[in-house]
C-alpha cells in the first residue's frame, strides 16, 4: 500500500526482491521487477481512488507529467507516495497531487531513492 496523500513510511516488510504478500499476473508487461501497489487516500482523485491497484514498472522511462511511485530517503528514513512528477529544474522534483486540495511538494533530487512509472491500473468491475 502506498499513500496517495503526503508521503508515509515505506517498508518492504523485510522481503527479498521478488517476494510479496500477493501476486498479480500481467502478461503484457515484460519487466521482471514490476510490482503492484494499492492506493491509499484521496490525493490522486478523480483519476485514481483509494483501493485502486497500480502496476509500477521500474524499466519504463519517467518523464515530466508521469504518475509515479516515489520513494524519498531523508534522515535515515524512507517514505513513499504516488504522485504526478515534474522536472522543473536540475536540482529538484515537484510532486503534484491530482486532487488540488493537496499542496505541491518540492523534493531535492538527491533525496529521491526511487521513482518508477505507473503503467496500468487494475479495475474491479
Amino acid at each position: 500500500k502506498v499513500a496517495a496523500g503526503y508521503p508515509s513510511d515505506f517498508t518492504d516488510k523485510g522481503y527479498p526482491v521478488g517476494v510479496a504478500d500477493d501476486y498479480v499476473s500481467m502478461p503484457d508487461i515484460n519487466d521482471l521487477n514490476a510490482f503492484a501497489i494499492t492506493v491509499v487516500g484521496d490525493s490522486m482523485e478523480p483519476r485514481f481512488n483509494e483501493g485502486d491497484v497500480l502496476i509500477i514498472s521500474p524499466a519504463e522511462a519517467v518523464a515530466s507529467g508521469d504518475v509515479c511511485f516515489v520513494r524519498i530517503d531523508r534522515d535515515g528514513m524512507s517514505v513513499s507516495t504516488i504522485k504526478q512528477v515534474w522536472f522543473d529544474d536540475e536540482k529538484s522534483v515537484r510532486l503534484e497531487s491530482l486532487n488540488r486540495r493537496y499542496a505541491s511538494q518540492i523534493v531535492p533530487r538527491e533525496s529521491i531513492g526511487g521513482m518508477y512509472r505507473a503503467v496500468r491500473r487494475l479495475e474491479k468491475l
Side-chain angles (χ1 to χ4, degrees), residues 24-36 53-60 117-122:
V24 176
S25 177
M26 297 298 296
D28 63 332
I29 295 180
N30 296 317
D31 182 355
L32 294 176
N33 293 312
F35 59 96
V53 175
L54 303 181
I55 306 302
I56 309 299
S57 177
E60 293 289 325
R117 190 160 73 87
V119 294
R120 299 281 187 286
R121 175 179 58 194
L122 299 183

Side-chain angles (χ1 to χ4, degrees), residues 2-125:
V2 66
Y6 297 106
S8 64
D9 290 343
F10 173 78
T11 179
D12 57 10
K13 297 183 179 179
Y15 294 155
V17 172
V19 177
D21 288 338
D22 203 357
Y23 296 87
V24 176
S25 177
M26 297 298 296
D28 63 332
I29 295 180
N30 296 317
D31 182 355
L32 294 176
N33 293 312
F35 59 96
I37 59 170
T38 302
V39 175
V40 176
D42 66 352
S43 81
M44 294 304 283
E45 290 180 353
R47 187 169 175 199
F48 305 107
N49 299 299
E50 182 156 353
D52 283 354
V53 175
L54 303 181
I55 306 302
I56 309 299
S57 177
E60 293 289 325
V62 174
S64 275
D66 286 342
V67 172
C68 295
F69 169 88
V70 181
R71 191 181 79 232
I72 303 165
D73 297 329
R74 277 192 269 203
D75 304 322
M77 307 260 314
S78 287
V79 294
S80 63
T81 190
I82 186 84
K83 289 286 179 264
Q84 190 172 34
V85 300
W86 298 96
F87 305 107
D88 298 329
D89 61 45
E90 297 293 319
K91 296 181 180 183
S92 61
V93 177
R94 179 169 38 105
L95 305 180
E96 289 280 337
S97 297
L98 300 178
N99 182 336
R100 295 299 170 211
R101 294 185 322 201
Y102 290 83
S104 298
Q105 303 165 53
I106 306 297
V107 178
R109 285 202 185 208
E110 67 266 9
S111 294
I112 301 292
M115 186 177 338
Y116 313 114
R117 190 160 73 87
V119 294
R120 299 281 187 286
R121 175 179 58 194
L122 299 183
E123 196 170 0
K124 192 178 217 181
L125 301 176

